[in-house]
Amino acid sequence: MQRKYLAKIFVTLRPSVLDPAGVAVQSGLKQMGYDDVEQVRIGKYIEVTFTSQDEDTARQNLDRMCDQMLANPVIENYRFDLIEVESQTGVY
Amino acid sequence: MQRKYLAKIFVTLRPSVLDPAGVAVQSGLKQMGYDDVEQVRIGKYIEVTFTSQDEDTARQNLDRMCDQMLANPVIENYRFDLIEVESQTGVY
């Protein structure tokens, strides 16, 4: 039986890495009158829907997907929430 | 007295909008052997640190920032979590 999961993945730049896009957005917000903005950091939010036999396997696969493709471990961190959305019994 | 807030903003494409980048990532994952991936959607995760006098004002300002600059309301949805990180009394 396969279970279906939705992973909500947050990929953020490591704190030591400069974020020129974030600085540009902050500058734009200031020009629009939002002077109270102190910092803007821009990352990625990725939703992946996939099937797996159980939650442990799902987390292991997701870790590998993140390390190999979704995030660049040299400059980025990632974390994810995993939600089981439905079970597929193959019966219906 | 100004309070300091951290907003965690999630900008996602509306469900009806095609996501070519997501399709490309899904295809890449398949080529790497992850055949169980059904869908990938790529959005933005933005952290904004700013000061405001109270939470209501903070939320109103943040809504405007999102509508005017951080998200494109025609094709994107956004939502945010707001966290008060510290209070600034100007005394220290």
Side-chain angles (χ1 to χ4, degrees):
Chain A
M1 184 176 130
Q2 290 281 297
R3 294 165 190 275
K4 190 166 177 175
Y5 294 93
L6 169 63
K8 301 183 173 189
I9 305 164
F10 310 87
V11 180
T12 50
L13 283 172
R14 288 178 184 271
S16 59
V17 177
L18 288 176
D19 179 4
V23 173
V25 167
Q26 182 185 2
S27 162
L29 289 172
K30 269 197 202 300
Q31 284 178 14
M32 291 165 64
Y34 300 104
D35 295 318
D36 295 331
V37 177
E38 296 184 358
Q39 193 181 40
V40 178
R41 302 280 289 181
I42 299 179
K44 280 178 286 186
Y45 170 68
I46 307 171
E47 288 185 347
V48 178
T49 312
F50 64 111
T51 56
S52 192
Q53 58 188 14
D54 57 46
E55 188 175 325
D56 281 350
T57 313
R59 286 186 182 276
Q60 284 169 20
N61 281 339
L62 205 49
D63 264 323
R64 281 205 301 267
M65 288 186 225
C66 287
D67 279 326
Q68 294 174 8
M69 180 135 193
L70 303 178
N72 176 350
V74 178
I75 58 168
E76 291 171 330
N77 292 321
Y78 68 84
R79 61 189 174 79
F80 55 77
D81 297 333
L82 192 64
I83 302 155
E84 185 172 341
V85 284
E86 70 186 66
S87 294
Q88 297 184 313
T89 59
V91 178
Y92 49 94
Chain B
M1 184 175 129
Q2 291 281 297
R3 293 165 190 276
K4 191 167 178 175
Y5 295 94
L6 169 64
K8 301 182 173 191
I9 306 164
F10 309 86
V11 181
T12 49
L13 283 171
R14 288 179 185 271
S16 59
V17 177
L18 289 177
D19 180 4
V23 172
V25 167
Q26 182 186 0
S27 161
L29 289 171
K30 270 197 203 297
Q31 284 178 15
M32 291 164 63
Y34 300 104
D35 294 318
D36 295 330
V37 176
E38 295 184 358
Q39 192 181 41
V40 178
R41 301 280 288 181
I42 299 179
K44 281 177 286 185
Y45 170 68
I46 307 172
E47 288 185 346
V48 177
T49 313
F50 65 112
T51 56
S52 191
Q53 59 189 14
D54 57 45
E55 187 175 325
D56 282 350
T57 313
R59 286 186 183 276
Q60 285 169 20
N61 281 339
L62 205 50
D63 265 323
R64 282 206 300 268
M65 287 187 227
C66 287
D67 279 327
Q68 295 175 5
M69 180 134 193
L70 302 177
N72 177 349
V74 178
I75 57 168
E76 291 170 328
N77 291 322
Y78 69 84
R79 61 187 174 81
F80 56 76
D81 297 332
L82 192 64
I83 301 155
E84 186 173 340
V85 285
E86 69 185 67
S87 294
Q88 297 183 316
T89 59
V91 178
Y92 50 93

